[in-house]
Amino acid sequence: MTSKKRIGIYCNPKADPPIDIIQQIVDRVTSLGGEVIFHQAIAEKLSQTTPLKNTFYSAQKNIEFIDVLFSIGGDGTFLGTVPFAIGGNIPVIGINIGRLGFLANVAQDQIKSAIDDWFNNSYTLIERTLIEVEIPNSQLRIPSLCALNDITIRRTEGANMLTFKATVNGQLLNNYWADGLILATPTGSTAYSLSCGGPILDINATAFIITPIASHNLTVRPLVISDQSQIEISVSGRCNHYSLTIDSESYIIPITESIKLQKAKQTIKTVVFKNLSFYDTIRDKLSWGMDKRN
């Protein structure tokens, strides 16, 4: 065993914390000599329902003392850990109590073995690419400008179809007549982009995907580009605003504002255990191999 390790726990702060799973993690970690530290919002809820004595952290407090962050929930909850993981350079383990779970890929019956493997250093770290967005002329205060899954630019509810002028490295790519555009990372290739017909990328691929949403031109298809590309998108149409979504957080942007997109300098580290490979996850979550001929 190694020296004392500190395990951070993050859940969806808007939902009731999964007490049984949290207790299971606390029991196992403490039995191995580790310490559990809760996100502040979770600690406040637990203090009303359980006698556990916990320290807690926010993005600015105590984050640097955590060795690994457990995200308990679905992929949406996992995305909520991104600011904390970036801020403290902390690897993340996703415990899946949601539905699909590409990011949160540790099942509930694997929690004990995952904790044991972490304490025994029986794992690998994968650095996942982030997309960074810049709004050159905007005075908007957006908490996080980095996305692990994708950046989405689309029409607001009730608005007409928009035109998206996309340039790559200063060269015109296309004027998209569509409901929106998605710029996805390899991690995000299995998220919104996939549902709009985009390809699946290996998580180690050095690429981004530009995927149109409900394109008015049927010959327009998703495009894979180098993640070293500089992308700029301007929007026009018969409305005053469009929606910008950075992972799961949405903002209303004046239509006069263009945005710039590029690979972020930061990455996020995710923990992969020996029995949970990327290809295993793809086969399982997408039900590949279910054909009776296999």
Side-chain angles (χ1 to χ4, degrees):
M1 291 292 177
T2 60
S3 58
K4 186 173 185 177
K5 294 187 177 182
R6 295 178 174 89
I7 311 299
I9 291 184
Y10 180 89
C11 309
N12 181 352
K14 297 179 182 179
D16 293 332
I19 301 297
D20 292 346
I21 292 175
I22 290 174
Q23 188 66 62
Q24 181 182 347
I25 294 173
V26 170
D27 290 346
R28 190 60 185 170
V29 169
T30 54
S31 73
L32 295 173
E35 179 183 359
V36 176
I37 303 174
F38 289 96
H39 176 255
Q40 181 175 357
I42 307 305
E44 290 173 352
K45 289 185 178 181
L46 288 175
S47 66
Q48 302 172 11
T49 58
T50 175
L52 292 174
K53 296 180 180 180
N54 305 293
T55 55
F56 55 84
Y57 64 93
S58 66
Q60 293 79 32
K61 184 179 180 181
N62 292 350
I63 193 73
E64 68 273 16
F65 300 116
I66 294 173
D67 298 306
V68 67
L69 187 58
F70 273 52
S71 170
I72 307 173
D75 285 352
T77 302
F78 193 102
L79 294 175
T81 67
V82 171
F84 302 101
I86 295 174
N89 194 29
I90 301 168
V92 183
I93 298 172
I95 306 297
N96 184 25
I97 61 171
R99 292 183 292 271
L100 202 55
F102 280 102
L103 291 169
N105 61 358
V106 176
Q108 295 180 44
D109 60 0
Q110 297 171 321
I111 292 175
K112 179 179 177 296
S113 62
I115 295 171
D116 291 351
D117 285 347
W118 170 260
F119 272 83
N120 288 309
N121 298 315
S122 182
Y123 61 88
T124 57
L125 293 178
I126 292 181
E127 293 201 29
R128 295 179 184 254
T129 299
L130 302 171
I131 298 176
E132 182 178 62
V133 59
E134 177 187 356
I135 311 174
N137 301 315
S138 179
Q139 301 301 313
L140 292 173
R141 300 181 65 182
I142 298 177
S144 176
L145 293 171
C146 289
L148 174 59
N149 263 354
D150 47 47
I151 304 286
T152 303
I153 310 103
R154 58 188 169 188
R155 65 185 180 91
T156 56
E157 185 176 354
N160 294 321
M161 178 178 60
L162 298 174
T163 302
F164 302 87
K165 180 182 178 181
T167 63
V168 178
N169 298 326
Q171 300 183 31
L172 177 65
L173 168 61
N174 192 25
N175 289 304
Y176 293 90
W177 291 63
D179 284 353
L181 282 182
I182 304 165
L183 186 70
T185 65
T187 297
S189 69
T190 53
Y192 194 10
S193 175
L194 180 63
S195 69
C196 292
I200 296 174
L201 299 184
D202 185 291
I203 53 176
N204 294 308
T206 55
F208 291 144
I209 309 167
I210 299 176
T211 305
I213 304 170
S215 173
H216 191 63
N217 189 328
L218 296 181
T219 63
V220 173
R221 290 291 181 264
L223 177 68
V224 178
I225 62 173
S226 166
D227 67 2
Q228 299 303 306
S229 302
Q230 308 288 316
I231 305 105
E232 184 168 1
I233 298 173
S234 57
V235 184
S236 59
R238 290 179 290 178
C239 59
N240 296 322
H241 299 85
Y242 62 92
S243 174
L244 170 68
T245 302
I246 304 173
D247 278 340
S248 56
E249 298 295 326
S250 294
Y251 308 92
I252 301 300
I253 309 296
I255 202 165
T256 54
E257 304 278 9
S258 62
I259 66 171
K260 295 182 178 180
L261 303 156
Q262 63 182 0
K263 180 180 179 180
K265 294 179 181 179
Q266 310 101 314
T267 60
I268 183 171
K269 297 182 178 69
T270 56
V271 178
V272 177
F273 297 107
K274 57 186 177 181
N275 61 334
L276 290 172
S277 74
F278 169 74
Y279 298 111
D280 290 338
T281 300
I282 290 293
R283 286 198 311 273
D284 178 45
K285 303 303 179 182
L286 298 181
S287 299
W288 288 0
M290 297 298 289
D291 191 302
K292 64 181 181 181
R293 292 173 294 179
N294 290 318

